[in-house]
Amino acid sequence: ETFLDYIVHVAPWFVIEEVHIAIAEQLQRVAEGEIDRLMLFVAPRTGKSQMASVFFPTHFIGRGPDKQIMQVGHSATISEGFGREARNILNTPEHQEVYPECRLSKDSRSVSAWATTKNGKYSTAGVDTGIAGKGWALGILDDLLNEKTALSSAAKKYVHNWYGPGFYSRQMPRDYVTGKGSAIVNIQTRWAVDDLAGWLLAQQQVNPDADKWEVLSIPALLDQKSADLLTRISHDPRYRKYLIGDPITFKEGDSYCPRRFPLKDLMRTKANMSARAWSALYMQSPVAEEGG
């Protein structure tokens, strides 16, 4: 009935922590059509791509096997990896038990472009590959920059220029029956003040016609707002079946993901990178290049 239950059913090996439930709550709102523009900012290696680029598209297309999905990453190769995992999940008995109407078409099973028997489509791309002729009702943007391109003004400008005429123009028209439009999920670590997320949020402030984004940003060392959110989740009776151990009352400065990354591990990570990189990648608070 929920995205979380779907994850447990098709991937019982995936360890769920409070931060994953926070992510799942927002993705559930996208699946239900409650929101259509979502940004998720979380530290590396949390499992956010596994949730947003693998589990969520198979859940989404299971609910609507005629839907079209596009997954875009910083390279075609990494996106094809997500496509392969998603395709393989569709072939599992667990997925087919939940969504018996969602089956792979026998003549379209490429890792970068596969289809369902109901004419649903899933395609992958990198920001440097052409996507003309492809469409999406769910567009997933997963870390369009990496540690190399994040330092390049030209690369960031390229992503900005690609987003509108390249990606955005490929969204499907609004559904004339339900009245619902296409949805975008942008999930990433923050790389720079002017990465795609920063640029889109700035547009939202100055242009009344720009997309209005729902934003979930969880720093690796919790601020009070995020601590309150994870505490609420940890103590919620609905979520206890997904979590290991006793409920946690999170405090400011605690680890956002204490089972995977105890606080001492995060502090070791912090000690092995610059303050600028830590602030952006782990605290989701990038600083301007000329900043002190």
Side-chain angles (χ1 to χ4, degrees):
E1 294 182 359
T2 69
F3 180 42
L4 277 172
D5 288 327
Y6 175 77
I7 294 174
V8 170
H9 190 67
V10 301
W13 50 267
F14 187 79
V15 177
I16 295 174
E17 298 199 50
E18 288 81 1
V19 66
H20 303 106
I21 296 176
I23 293 170
E25 284 185 336
Q26 299 305 318
L27 290 172
Q28 183 74 41
R29 296 175 70 198
V30 175
E32 299 292 346
E34 182 182 340
I35 58 175
D36 62 6
R37 297 293 184 268
L38 175 64
M39 291 184 180
L40 300 168
F41 306 146
V42 192
R45 311 313 303 164
T46 303
K48 61 187 184 298
S49 292
Q50 188 72 42
M51 292 184 69
S53 289
V54 179
F55 298 148
F56 186 63
T58 58
H59 173 65
F60 187 89
I61 207 167
R63 292 166 57 102
D66 61 337
K67 299 296 185 182
Q68 296 191 33
I69 300 173
M70 181 181 293
Q71 197 285 336
V72 185
H74 59 76
S75 72
T77 301
I78 194 167
S79 289
E80 286 174 0
F82 295 138
R84 179 180 291 104
E85 289 189 64
R87 181 200 62 185
N88 291 345
I89 286 177
L90 247 69
N91 271 330
T92 63
E94 290 80 9
H95 176 87
Q96 293 173 8
E97 178 186 2
V98 179
Y99 297 123
E101 297 298 316
C102 182
R103 300 296 180 96
L104 277 175
S105 174
K106 292 182 179 180
D107 60 355
S108 180
R109 297 190 173 195
S110 163
V111 296
S112 61
W114 47 259
T116 70
T117 56
K118 299 293 185 180
N119 205 36
K121 295 180 174 67
Y122 177 103
S123 60
T124 68
V127 293
D128 56 350
T129 58
I131 56 177
K134 300 178 180 179
W136 50 267
L138 171 64
I140 302 170
L141 305 173
D142 193 334
D143 270 331
L144 300 188
L145 297 172
N146 58 28
E147 66 278 8
K148 294 180 179 179
T149 56
L151 302 177
S152 167
S153 297
K156 286 179 285 189
K157 186 176 180 180
Y158 174 85
V159 171
H160 297 170
N161 291 335
W162 163 88
Y163 177 78
F167 172 76
Y168 203 89
S169 67
R170 309 315 306 166
Q171 66 180 310
M172 301 296 290
R174 189 172 294 274
D175 190 299
Y176 68 92
V177 176
T178 65
K180 294 179 180 178
S182 298
I184 302 173
V185 175
N186 180 17
I187 186 162
Q188 63 173 84
T189 55
R190 291 301 308 272
W191 290 95
V193 172
D194 57 346
D195 59 15
L196 180 64
W199 179 69
L200 291 173
L201 291 174
Q203 293 298 308
Q204 168 181 294
Q205 295 297 318
V206 300
N207 187 343
D209 295 324
D211 284 333
K212 302 300 184 284
W213 294 87
E214 186 83 12
V215 179
L216 175 67
S217 178
I218 300 181
L221 301 180
L222 295 172
D223 55 18
Q224 192 58 55
K225 180 180 178 182
S226 297
D228 291 343
L229 169 65
L230 299 189
T231 296
R232 186 263 296 172
I233 289 171
S234 193
H235 288 263
D236 191 324
R238 296 174 300 165
Y239 295 140
R240 289 310 310 163
K241 63 181 179 179
Y242 305 111
L243 297 167
I244 298 171
D246 296 327
I248 300 173
T249 299
F250 290 87
K251 304 182 298 298
E252 186 175 358
D254 282 351
S255 168
Y256 77 113
C257 202
R259 300 166 188 83
R260 276 179 173 80
F261 300 110
L263 185 59
K264 63 179 182 180
D265 290 354
L266 289 178
M267 299 311 293
R268 290 178 69 181
T269 299
K270 182 180 179 181
N272 281 279
M273 64 179 62
S274 69
R276 183 185 302 279
W278 171 262
S279 182
L281 295 180
Y282 283 83
M283 299 303 288
Q284 313 311 317
S285 181
V287 295
E289 291 183 9
E290 66 273 13

